[in-house]
Amino acid sequence: MALAIAAGERVRGTTSPNPPVGCVILDASGELVGTGGTRPPGQAHAEVVALAEAGDRARGGTAVVTLEPCAHQGRTPPCADALLRAGVARVVHAVADPNPRAAGGADALRAAGVVVESGLGALEVERGPLRAWLHHARTGRPHVTWKYASSLDGRIAAADGTSRWISSPESRAEVHELRTKVDAIMVGRGTVLADDPRLTARGTSAGRQPLRVVVGRGDLPGDAHVLDDEAETVHLRTHDPDVVLAELGRRGVVDVLLEGGPTLAGAFARADRLDRVLAYLAPKFLGAGPSALRDAGVSTVTGAVGLVVEDVRMCGPDVRVSAVKSAR
Amino acid sequence: MALAIAAGERVRGTTSPNPPVGCVILDASGELVGTGGTRPPGQAHAEVVALAEAGDRARGGTAVVTLEPCAHQGRTPPCADALLRAGVARVVHAVADPNPRAAGGADALRAAGVVVESGLGALEVERGPLRAWLHHARTGRPHVTWKYASSLDGRIAAADGTSRWISSPESRAEVHELRTKVDAIMVGRGTVLADDPRLTARGTSAGRQPLRVVVGRGDLPGDAHVLDDEAETVHLRTHDPDVVLAELGRRGVVDVLLEGGPTLAGAFARADRLDRVLAYLAPKFLGAGPSALRDAGVSTVTGAVGLVVEDVRMCGPDVRVSAVKSAR
């Protein structure tokens, strides 16, 4: 399953609105004979890619896959059928497909005599490559990760407005890597005016760039970096997070990285649309300057936006905290 | 050495201005025959306590001690002499004594034919029971740990001023435990006016209470909790951190816990007198309300107060970050 998860992770950011599934095929003796990740929309799913590599050796073998194989005819034929045709004897998947249209794969396989097991590595998959897609399948909304970098006292810039760089090169490199794995990067118009960010993934081998999204009613400067040709950009003239998410969903966006600023993050916090927070906390103190979040609709301490820390680790000299709405 | 460190940790908070040293004695066959921690000022040092327990079995044995045995006659006779009289053949200490008056113990022991080794467990001792005392011995100033509890966005209270409780019961219990191990707890007068804290160690077995220190020029309300009989309190009518530290040093204080608020912490940050920061970050967002630090004298991002994270871990649901001025 670790290999299947890695195969899914490798294609993350290239499959939406389809899930970035990973699959490995073991032959009847348990030897690895095929590995696959879901191809871009309209192309082969992970199981089909892995089966193609395995060829005849899949017969009597095991398919290990991060998501329950689909049972429906979409743009590609059902994966359950492909597994049956290949003669796979056993299927192990991490998580069940919450999508009623695609679910039923496990039942179809069992009905055809295949041994089906589920749950292995489920937590790792739910927090890993399929997190956003599962959220979207369950709620109908794109998954929003709010990422910010601040000092330990929560400031994203100093009193004079300077913010380069609060976080370390290691943290910034990790964010560029993360950008290659999401469908869209979103900022408020205020951030464009203040920082003129490029919002592209740089310093990585991936050529693909996520959609750039600017939220805010007013115009953008014609020479803003986000309007250059390095990636596609959409400007949404609204302040309503649900309008933003509906429009992004319509464009096939499943995984959104909200990169600020404090006002836009506050609007998403008020609307209960921050699904995950990824905080890079530099071991610095500023004592003045804007805080990471503004106007979150909280007036008293018992009304705080409450999350659950799922992971804390160092990223270079910085503390990286990943927190989610609820424990999984 | 782990046992010696634990013995030192057990007496932390009861020995100042002397160091909370721990010592274990092994007999000639390597069996543990004595354990001791430094007694309150004027009473026996750790080596003497451990030797008393070991009795004759110390002869030909090893003394493992967190600090180089002292060579000077203070209120008690030199420990190096006691080790020689007991016939100890080998002394292993973690850190050398930086105090020129007391140092020389290792040389005196070697001159008398004792094998002396140093450095074992040094990092653990320097970050553990002897951190504050070593700082004081090196700089002449009490060691200041600034402890605060905030939301992840750095707020110590909500917009309406409520702050109970931002951090978890686990974090608050840990702070009460920490209070029993310091010599003094310090707050600004503003915190007394706003929160009327007791500043006592509660919910622990230790009966001892640290000195309570209130810093600020104005008067305190006569009915403030800090003026009750549960512990001694001193009110220092100054805003100058160095005046505060000099006065506390005069009173034999070596280890100070600064518990806020943002203005007092800012004054200590400006004066470069925050030796360590202990942050309890609750996985919550407030989006408004006062931040943990104010007026730290930082105007631009490159001038930030920079620290080094030495430890990050969970404390219940909260993230606990310990950061120090420089790597040790």
Side-chain angles (χ1 to χ4, degrees):
Chain A
M1 185 59 77
L3 292 174
I5 293 172
E9 191 61 40
R10 276 195 295 276
V11 297
R12 196 150 84 88
T14 66
T15 66
S16 290
N18 292 332
V21 174
C23 177
V24 298
I25 307 290
L26 310 177
D27 69 10
S29 71
E31 197 183 334
L32 180 73
V33 292
T35 305
T38 300
R39 296 266 167 84
Q43 300 179 41
H45 289 187
E47 296 91 326
V48 173
V49 176
L51 285 171
E53 187 182 321
D56 279 348
R57 300 184 66 182
R59 193 155 303 276
T62 299
V64 181
V65 56
T66 54
L67 181 67
E68 179 186 354
C70 68
H72 86 306
Q73 174 76 42
R75 276 177 291 189
T76 66
C79 293
D81 289 0
L83 291 164
L84 289 176
R85 268 200 311 279
V88 162
R90 185 162 160 257
V91 171
V92 179
H93 64 264
V95 298
D97 194 324
N99 183 341
R101 278 197 315 139
D107 289 344
L109 288 162
R110 279 199 192 94
V114 174
V115 176
V116 179
E117 292 164 44
S118 120
L120 180 70
L123 187 70
E124 218 176 326
V125 168
E126 294 202 358
R127 289 183 174 183
L130 294 188
R131 187 204 299 266
W133 184 84
L134 287 168
H135 172 89
H136 184 263
R138 286 165 184 153
T139 67
R141 291 189 303 270
H143 181 275
V144 179
T145 297
W146 172 38
K147 168 256 145 187
Y148 70 92
S150 77
S151 62
L152 262 186
D153 57 333
R155 319 274 188 182
I156 57 167
D160 66 354
T162 53
S163 62
R164 293 189 180 168
W165 295 105
I166 282 182
S167 62
S168 65
E170 292 89 339
S171 294
R172 300 200 304 275
E174 196 175 278
V175 170
H176 279 288
E177 183 65 31
L178 180 59
R179 284 178 176 176
T180 68
K181 301 197 164 189
V182 299
D183 302 323
I185 302 175
M186 177 167 57
V187 296
R189 181 173 161 270
T191 295
V192 172
L193 299 182
D195 298 342
D196 192 18
R198 294 173 189 277
L199 298 183
T200 51
R202 295 184 297 278
T204 64
S205 52
R208 185 192 152 275
Q209 294 291 348
L211 178 68
R212 299 182 290 195
V213 182
V214 181
V215 176
R217 293 227 179 87
D219 290 336
L220 302 179
D223 60 350
H225 278 132
V226 290
L227 298 179
D228 66 21
D229 295 332
E230 290 185 37
E232 193 186 342
T233 298
V234 54
H235 177 194
L236 301 178
R237 294 174 185 268
T238 174
H239 287 149
D240 183 337
D242 281 324
V243 171
V244 170
L245 292 178
E247 172 59 21
L248 293 180
R250 207 184 56 74
R251 291 168 179 260
V253 167
V254 169
D255 198 357
V256 183
L257 188 62
L258 167 51
E259 293 212 28
T263 307
L264 184 60
F268 273 73
R270 272 201 312 281
D272 192 26
R273 292 292 178 261
L274 293 181
D275 302 305
R276 181 183 177 215
V277 178
L278 196 55
Y280 292 87
L281 306 175
K284 298 174 182 174
F285 289 89
L286 287 165
S291 294
L293 190 70
R294 189 162 59 203
D295 301 334
V298 178
S299 58
T300 194
V301 71
T302 50
V305 178
L307 300 170
V308 175
V309 175
E310 63 166 15
D311 184 51
V312 179
R313 61 173 171 79
M314 298 302 292
C315 185
D318 304 332
V319 177
R320 175 194 180 274
V321 180
S322 174
V324 294
K325 259 194 201 168
S326 59
R328 283 170 189 276
Chain B
M1 185 59 78
L3 292 173
I5 291 171
E9 191 61 41
R10 276 196 295 276
V11 297
R12 196 151 83 89
T14 66
T15 65
S16 288
N18 293 332
V21 174
C23 178
V24 298
I25 307 289
L26 310 176
D27 69 11
S29 71
E31 196 184 334
L32 179 73
V33 292
T35 304
T38 299
R39 296 267 167 83
Q43 299 180 39
H45 290 186
E47 297 92 325
V48 173
V49 176
L51 285 170
E53 187 182 321
D56 278 348
R57 300 185 66 183
R59 193 157 302 277
T62 298
V64 181
V65 56
T66 55
L67 181 67
E68 178 186 353
C70 68
H72 85 307
Q73 174 76 43
R75 274 178 291 190
T76 64
C79 293
D81 289 2
L83 290 163
L84 288 176
R85 267 199 312 278
V88 163
R90 187 164 158 255
V91 171
V92 179
H93 64 265
V95 297
D97 194 324
N99 183 341
R101 277 197 315 139
D107 289 343
L109 288 162
R110 279 198 192 95
V114 174
V115 175
V116 180
E117 292 164 43
S118 119
L120 180 70
L123 188 69
E124 218 178 324
V125 168
E126 293 201 0
R127 288 184 175 182
L130 293 189
R131 186 204 299 265
W133 184 83
L134 287 168
H135 171 90
H136 184 262
R138 286 165 184 154
T139 67
R141 291 189 302 269
H143 181 275
V144 178
T145 296
W146 172 38
K147 169 255 147 187
Y148 71 91
S150 77
S151 62
L152 262 186
D153 57 333
R155 318 275 188 181
I156 57 167
D160 67 354
T162 53
S163 62
R164 290 186 182 174
W165 295 104
I166 282 182
S167 62
S168 65
E170 292 89 338
S171 294
R172 301 200 303 275
E174 197 176 279
V175 170
H176 278 288
E177 183 65 29
L178 179 59
R179 285 179 175 176
T180 68
K181 300 196 163 191
V182 299
D183 301 323
I185 302 174
M186 176 166 59
V187 295
R189 181 173 160 269
T191 295
V192 172
L193 298 182
D195 298 342
D196 192 19
R198 294 173 190 277
L199 298 183
T200 51
R202 296 184 296 277
T204 64
S205 51
R208 184 190 154 276
Q209 294 291 347
L211 177 68
R212 300 183 288 197
V213 181
V214 182
V215 175
R217 294 227 179 87
D219 290 337
L220 302 179
D223 60 351
H225 279 132
V226 291
L227 299 179
D228 66 20
D229 294 333
E230 290 185 37
E232 192 186 344
T233 298
V234 53
H235 178 192
L236 301 177
R237 294 175 185 267
T238 174
H239 286 150
D240 182 337
D242 281 324
V243 171
V244 169
L245 293 178
E247 172 59 22
L248 293 180
R250 207 186 56 75
R251 289 168 179 260
V253 167
V254 169
D255 199 357
V256 183
L257 188 62
L258 167 52
E259 293 211 29
T263 306
L264 184 60
F268 273 74
R270 272 201 312 281
D272 192 27
R273 292 292 177 261
L274 294 181
D275 302 305
R276 182 183 177 214
V277 178
L278 196 55
Y280 292 87
L281 307 175
K284 299 174 182 173
F285 289 89
L286 288 165
S291 294
L293 189 70
R294 190 160 60 202
D295 302 335
V298 178
S299 57
T300 194
V301 70
T302 50
V305 178
L307 300 171
V308 175
V309 175
E310 62 166 16
D311 184 52
V312 179
R313 61 173 170 80
M314 299 301 294
C315 186
D318 304 332
V319 177
R320 174 193 181 274
V321 179
S322 174
V324 293
K325 261 195 201 169
S326 59
R328 282 170 191 274

